[in-house]
Amino acid sequence: MLYSTAQEWRDAPRRKVLIFGMSGLGKTHLSGLLRASGDWFHYSIDYRIGTRYLGETILDNAKAEAMKVPFLRNLLLSDSIYIASNITFENLSPVATWLGKPGNADQGGLPMVEYAQRQEAFKQGEIAALMDTAHFADRAKTLYGYDHFICDTGGSICEWVDADDPNDPLLRALADECLLVWIKGDAAHTQELIKRFDRAPKPMAYQPEFLARVWQEYLNENKYSEGEVDPDAFVRWTYAQALSHRQPRYEAMSKWGVTITPDQISALQTQSDFVDLIANTLDV
C-alpha cells in the first residue's frame, strides 16, 4: 500500500486516496467534505467519463432526440439554439440518461444490441478515466497547488479488474498512486439501497458476462421477447443480483487497501476526522 502505517499516513506531505464501493454509500459525500476543506482536489471518475470520454457522444444523442422535433430541428439547423450537457459532480444525469436501459422502445428502452454497445463504450471510458488518476493527481499539485487528492470512483470499478491478480494493470496503476479505500456496507445498507433503487431505478454499468446472463434469465422466466420488456422492471429485478455479484469483487479489491463503513463516513465533520479515521484503520 502507498501508506503502510498510520504514522506514514499522518506524516505524508501529500495524502492521496481512491474510494470505491456501491453507489449510495457515501463516496461523493466524503469527496465533497474533503473538497470543501480547500486542501483536497476531488477527481470524479464519472464526471471525467461524461466530460472527456463520452461528452461528444452524450451531446450527439441529445441532439438526435431534439432533431426528431420539427420545431427544435429548425432552430438547431439554423444555429438559433444549442444543446449543452450540464454535468456536475452532484448531477451526473446526462451520463446515466445516455447509458439508458434495455427493453420496450415505447417505455424508453433501447434494443439490446445498442444497449450493449453503450455498455462497452462506458466500460472503455471508465477504464480510461481511472488510468488518468495519476495524471490528475500530479495536475492537482503542479497546476492548482493542492497537497491532497481524492479519487471518487463509480460503483462499476470492480467489474473491470481482477483483484486476485497481483499484476492486474488497472489495480496496480491505481494502488501505486493512491491508497485504496473500500466503503463497505452491511446488510441494512444493502436493503436501504435496494429500497432506494426500487423507488427510482437508474441505469447501471454491468460486466458483459453478467448482463448477458441476467438478460436471458429475465426473458426466459417471463417468456418475454426483447420488445416486451419494461426497462424499469428489468433493472429493478437485476439490481439485487448486481449487488450480490459485486460484493465478492469489492471484497477481493479490499486486500489492496483499507476498509471503512458508511456510518464512519457520516460521523465525519472535518478533514482531520478523515485523517484520523484512515490512521486508525491502518493501525488495525
Side-chain angles (χ1 to χ4, degrees), residues 97-111:
T97 300
W98 170 82
L99 190 58
K101 306 165 189 173
N104 189 329
D106 292 336
Q107 295 174 289
L110 295 168

Side-chain angles (χ1 to χ4, degrees), residues 141-218:
K141 178 62 176 178
T142 59
L143 183 60
Y144 298 114
Y146 284 95
D147 287 328
H148 310 305
F149 175 87
I150 181 166
C151 177
D152 174 10
T153 69
S156 50
I157 182 176
C158 65
E159 304 285 24
W160 325 130
V161 300
D162 179 1
D164 293 325
D165 177 3
N167 297 311
D168 181 86
L170 181 53
L171 270 181
R172 185 73 274 152
L174 296 174
D176 286 347
E177 189 64 33
C178 299
L179 175 67
L180 272 56
V181 180
W182 179 28
I183 303 177
K184 179 182 180 180
D186 59 20
H189 292 119
T190 298
Q191 289 306 308
E192 180 56 35
L193 289 178
I194 292 172
K195 289 179 183 178
R196 190 185 309 172
F197 191 88
D198 191 60
R199 291 193 297 268
K202 298 178 181 179
M204 288 181 61
Y206 306 103
Q207 190 183 69
E209 297 81 4
F210 171 83
L211 175 61
R213 176 177 63 79
V214 295
W215 178 248
Q216 197 57 54
E217 287 177 1
Y218 190 78

Side-chain angles (χ1 to χ4, degrees), residues 230-245:
D230 179 330
D232 283 346
F234 170 71
V235 295
R236 283 190 179 103
W237 180 84
T238 303
Y239 186 67
Q241 297 183 68
L243 293 186
S244 296
H245 162 76

